[in-house]
C-alpha cells in the first residue's frame, strides 16, 4: 500500500530539513511543474480527481480552472487553510509538523498553476510547533531559490507568508478567512462573486486545505492515473483518516480512499477499549451526522458516506461509546458551535444558543416533552439554505442524527428528570 503523504513522516526523529527532503525526491515535482504550462498543471490535477480534503470534496483542478488566466489580473493569491479547528480533527497538524516542505512545495506548484505571486499559510493559533517548523522550512526554501524572485531561473516569482489566526472556528470558512486576512471581522461573504474571481483584496484567490495541497507534488511526479489507482472506492488517492474516542489506539492513518468504517475502527484503531461498546460515530469531525452499527461496512468516500446520510468531512472520526451520554455528547458540541458563531446571521446567532440551552436543561433534569419538537424545529430552520454559511447547518448534523438514532436517550432525560448516565 502506497502512503505518499506520510512516507517521510516519523515522530521518532526530527522532521526533514531541506537537505533530507531533497535527498528523498523533494522539489523534483516543482522542477517538473515549472517546465509545464499552468494550464497543463491544472488539467493534470483535474484529471486526477483530487477532491478537497477540507470537507467540501470539490474537484481541486476544477476549482483552479475558475481563476481568470487572461493576463488582466497581475496580482493573484494562493492560500493554505491551516486553521484546523474542527473538533476531532488533527490531520493537518501531523502533515505540517511531520513534513513542512511537502506543503510548501505543493503550494508553490499550485500558485504557479494559477499564476499567483503571493501566498499565505493561514495557521491555527494553537499550532506553535507547526508554526516554528514552517517558518524554518520557508527560510530554507527562500535560501535555496524555491521561493522569492526568479524561482529556479524560470522568471516566476512567489512570496510566501505565515499568518497566525486568533482562534476563530469561522475562519475555516474560506471567505471569513479572507476577511480576517484583510484585518476585518471574520464573517462570511456573499457569493457570487466567488474568491476565484474576487477574493483577497478583491483579487483572484484560491484557498485550499493543507492535505489537499500536500497531494499536489505526488500527482505531478506520478500522474493522474497513478493517483486514481490509489483509491478503493468512488474517489481517488489516499486519505488521512483519524479516530478519537474510547478506542484502543486512537490516532491517524493514511489509507486508500474508500476503506470501510469497520476497517478503520477495528483494524487501525484496534476496536473499542476494554469495557466499552460502539454506539455511533461522527465520520468527519463534529459537524457531520452520526453513523451507527448498521453503517460499519460502508466505504468512507464522499459518495458512500453521503448515501448513508452523513458527510465524509475531514475524515477524522469521533466515536461515541455506550458509557457516554449522547445528549451530553451533543450538548458539548452545540456549546462549541454556539460559542463560535460569528453572529452575522440571525438563525445561527440566535438559534445555536437556544439549542444549547435546551440540551443543557435536559442534562440538568429540567427537560420538557415539547423540547424534542423545539430541537427538531431548529434542525430545519438552521439547516442548509437558511443561513449565511455552513456553520449552523453543520452544527445541526450531529443533533438531527442523534434525535434519529438515540431518541430514547433524550426521552429518558425528560421522563426521569435527570441524566441517566450520572
Amino acid at each position: 500500500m502506497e502512503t505518499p503523504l506520510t512516507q517521510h513522516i516519523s515522530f521518532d526523529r526530527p522532521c526533514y530539513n531541506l537537505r533530507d527532503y531533497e535527498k528523498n525526491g523533494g522539489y523534483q515535482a516543482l522542477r517538473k511543474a515549472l517546465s509545464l504550462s499552468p494550464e497543463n498543471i491544472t488539467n493534470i490535477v483535474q484529471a486526477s480527481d483530487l477532491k478537497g480534503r477540507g470537507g467540501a470534496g470539490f474537484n481541486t483542478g476544477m476549482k483552479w480552472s475558475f481563476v481568470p488566466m487572461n493576463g488582466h489580473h497581475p496580482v493573484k493569491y494562493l492560500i493554505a487553510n491551516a486553521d484546523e479547528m474542527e473538533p476531532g480533527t488533527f490531520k493537518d497538524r501531523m502533515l505540517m509538523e511531520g513534513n513542512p516542505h511537502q506543503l510548501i512545495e505543493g503550494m508553490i506548484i499550485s500558485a504557479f498553476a494559477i499564476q499567483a505571486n503571493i501566498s499565505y499559510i493561514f495557521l491555527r493559533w494553537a499550532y506553535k510547533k507547526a508554526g516554528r517548523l514552517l517558518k524554518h522550512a520557508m527560510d530554507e526554501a527562500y535560501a535555496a531559490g524555491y521561493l522569492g524572485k526568479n524561482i529556479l531561473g524560470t522568471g516566476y516569482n512567489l512570496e510566501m507568508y505565515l499568518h497566525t489566526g486568533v482562534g476563530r472556528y469561522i475562519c475555516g470558512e474560506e471567505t471569513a478567512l479572507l476577511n480576517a486576512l484583510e484585518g476585518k471581522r471574520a464573517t462570511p461573504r456573499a457569493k457570487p462573486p466567488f474568491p476565484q474571481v474576487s477574493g483577497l483584496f478583491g483579487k483572484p484567490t484560491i484557498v485550499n486545505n493543507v492535505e489537499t495541497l500536500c497531494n499536489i507534488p505526488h500527482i505531478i511526479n506520478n500522474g493522474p492515473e497513478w493517483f486514481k489507482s490509489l483509491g478503493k472506492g468512488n474517489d481517488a488517492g489516499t486519505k488521512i483518516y483519524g479516530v478519537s474516542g474510547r478506542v484502543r489506539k486512537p490516532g491517524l492513518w493514511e489509507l486508500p480512499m474508500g476503506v470501510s468504517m469497520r476497517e478503520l475502527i477495528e483494524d487501525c484503531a484496534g476496536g473499542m477499549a476494554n469495557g466499552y461498546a460502539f454506539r455511533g460515530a461522527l465520520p468527519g469531525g463534529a459537524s457531520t451526522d452520526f453513523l451507527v452499527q448498521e453503517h460499519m461496512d460502508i466505504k468512507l468516500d464522499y459518495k458512500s458516506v453521503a448515501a448513508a446520510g452523513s458527510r465524509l468531512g475531514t475524515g477524522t472520526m469521533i466515536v461515541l461509546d455506550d458509557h457516554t451520554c449522547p445528549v451530553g455528547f451533543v450538548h458539548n458540541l452545540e456549546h462549541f458551535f454556539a460559542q463560535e458563531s460569528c453572529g452575522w446571521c440571525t438563525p445561527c446567532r440566535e438559534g445555536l444558543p437556544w439549542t444549547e440551552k435546551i440540551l443543557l436543561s435536559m442534562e440538568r433534569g429540567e427537560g420538557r416533552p415539547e423540547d424534542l419538537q423545539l430541537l427538531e424545529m431548529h434542525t430545519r430552520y438552521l439547516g442548509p439554505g437558511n443561513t449565511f454559511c455552513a456553520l449552523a447547518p453543520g452544527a445541526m448534523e450531529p443533533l438531527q442524527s442523534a434525535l434519529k438514532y438515540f431518541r430514547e436517550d433524550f426521552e429518558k432525560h425528560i421522563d426521569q428528570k435527570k441524566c441517566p448516565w450520572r
Side-chain angles (χ1 to χ4, degrees):
M1 184 180 70
E2 294 189 68
T3 55
L5 296 176
T6 58
Q7 61 184 327
H8 300 307
I9 294 178
S10 173
F11 290 101
D12 295 328
R13 55 161 174 78
C15 72
Y16 278 174
N17 58 24
L18 177 61
R19 185 178 178 184
D20 296 326
Y21 186 65
E22 289 175 325
K23 280 183 179 178
N24 288 275
Y27 291 105
Q28 290 305 308
L30 174 61
R31 294 177 185 277
K32 181 177 179 180
L34 292 174
S35 70
L36 304 172
S37 69
E39 183 182 16
N40 197 352
I41 297 171
T42 297
N43 290 339
I44 289 170
V45 174
Q46 187 167 347
S48 75
D49 197 29
L50 169 64
K51 291 184 170 69
R53 301 307 201 229
F58 193 76
N59 183 290
T60 302
M62 184 175 293
K63 184 176 183 177
W64 294 359
S65 72
F66 300 147
V67 174
M69 299 294 284
N70 52 19
H72 298 318
H73 300 274
V75 177
K76 299 177 189 176
Y77 297 95
L78 185 283
I79 300 169
N81 187 345
D83 194 48
E84 189 174 48
M85 287 192 62
E86 180 75 10
T89 300
F90 44 100
K91 63 183 181 66
D92 294 341
R93 176 183 176 182
M94 178 190 70
L95 291 170
M96 291 185 289
E97 292 182 0
N99 194 358
H101 277 288
Q102 179 176 236
L103 171 61
I104 291 170
E105 183 177 15
M107 289 181 66
I108 301 169
I109 296 170
S110 304
F112 180 72
I114 64 166
Q115 290 294 281
N117 47 20
I118 301 174
S119 60
Y120 288 92
I121 301 173
F122 192 103
L123 184 68
R124 180 182 174 182
W125 69 274
Y127 285 1
K128 308 297 185 186
K129 180 179 179 181
R132 291 193 301 270
L133 294 171
L134 284 166
K135 182 65 171 65
H136 179 71
M138 288 166 58
D139 290 343
E140 288 184 310
Y142 267 106
Y146 296 126
L147 285 171
K149 305 293 184 184
N150 193 26
I151 293 174
L152 298 179
T154 62
Y156 175 61
N157 306 322
L158 179 67
E159 303 298 331
M160 184 174 292
Y161 303 98
L162 180 63
H163 176 92
T164 302
V166 294
R168 293 304 311 274
Y169 175 74
I170 190 62
C171 289
E173 200 280 335
E174 65 177 8
T175 62
L177 180 153
L178 296 178
N179 275 344
L181 265 181
E182 291 181 5
K184 301 174 183 174
R185 177 180 168 187
T187 54
R189 298 177 179 179
K191 301 176 186 177
F194 290 90
Q196 295 94 318
V197 176
S198 180
L200 187 64
F201 301 111
K203 306 300 182 183
T205 305
I206 285 290
V207 182
N208 281 138
N209 170 259
V210 167
E211 185 184 353
T212 306
L213 292 164
C214 286
N215 275 288
I216 300 302
H218 306 291
I219 293 171
I220 297 301
N221 267 334
N222 299 290
E225 294 306 316
W226 165 84
F227 187 74
K228 287 193 283 189
S229 74
L230 299 179
K232 289 178 66 175
N234 299 301
D235 294 313
T238 61
K239 178 81 185 74
I240 307 293
Y241 292 100
V243 179
S244 59
R246 288 191 170 114
V247 292
R248 287 192 177 94
K249 298 184 297 181
L252 295 165
W253 302 270
E254 183 179 4
L255 301 168
M257 280 287 282
V259 298
S260 70
M261 190 160 78
R262 186 182 303 279
E263 289 176 277
L264 183 58
I265 294 175
E266 295 184 0
D267 297 342
C268 296
M272 299 301 293
N274 291 337
Y276 296 94
F278 176 85
R279 286 202 72 187
L282 303 174
S287 58
T288 55
D289 286 90
F290 277 101
L291 297 178
V292 292
Q293 188 68 41
E294 68 188 71
H295 303 119
M296 285 292 277
D297 293 309
I298 70 162
K299 294 179 178 180
L300 293 175
D301 58 42
Y302 293 100
K303 185 177 180 180
S304 301
V305 176
S310 186
R311 294 184 301 111
L312 181 61
T314 61
T316 46
M317 181 178 297
I318 308 172
V319 173
L320 172 68
D321 63 84
D322 64 337
H323 286 45
T324 300
C325 172
V327 178
F329 186 103
V330 174
H331 169 255
N332 187 45
L333 296 180
E334 298 307 319
H335 175 77
F336 169 81
F337 288 124
Q339 192 171 344
E340 290 299 328
S341 171
C342 75
W344 192 242
C345 64
T346 303
C348 185
R349 182 184 64 246
E350 305 298 329
L352 287 179
W354 190 2
T355 300
E356 190 265 339
K357 288 176 183 176
I358 293 171
L359 293 168
L360 179 60
S361 71
M362 287 185 174
E363 281 287 277
R364 290 174 171 172
E366 302 165 359
R368 307 166 301 166
E370 56 265 34
D371 286 340
L372 294 177
Q373 286 71 44
L374 281 174
L375 290 174
E376 288 174 335
M377 178 195 77
H378 278 83
T379 64
R380 295 191 300 273
Y381 282 103
L382 274 69
N386 296 320
T387 58
F388 212 75
C389 79
L391 191 154
M396 291 299 99
E397 292 188 22
L399 175 60
Q400 67 190 11
S401 52
L403 288 167
K404 176 181 178 180
Y405 294 119
F406 312 122
R407 193 176 189 88
E408 184 178 333
D409 297 279
F410 286 83
E411 292 170 346
K412 284 181 179 179
H413 280 71
I414 296 170
D415 295 340
Q416 298 178 18
K417 297 189 181 301
K418 65 175 184 178
C419 173
W421 273 261
R422 293 180 181 175

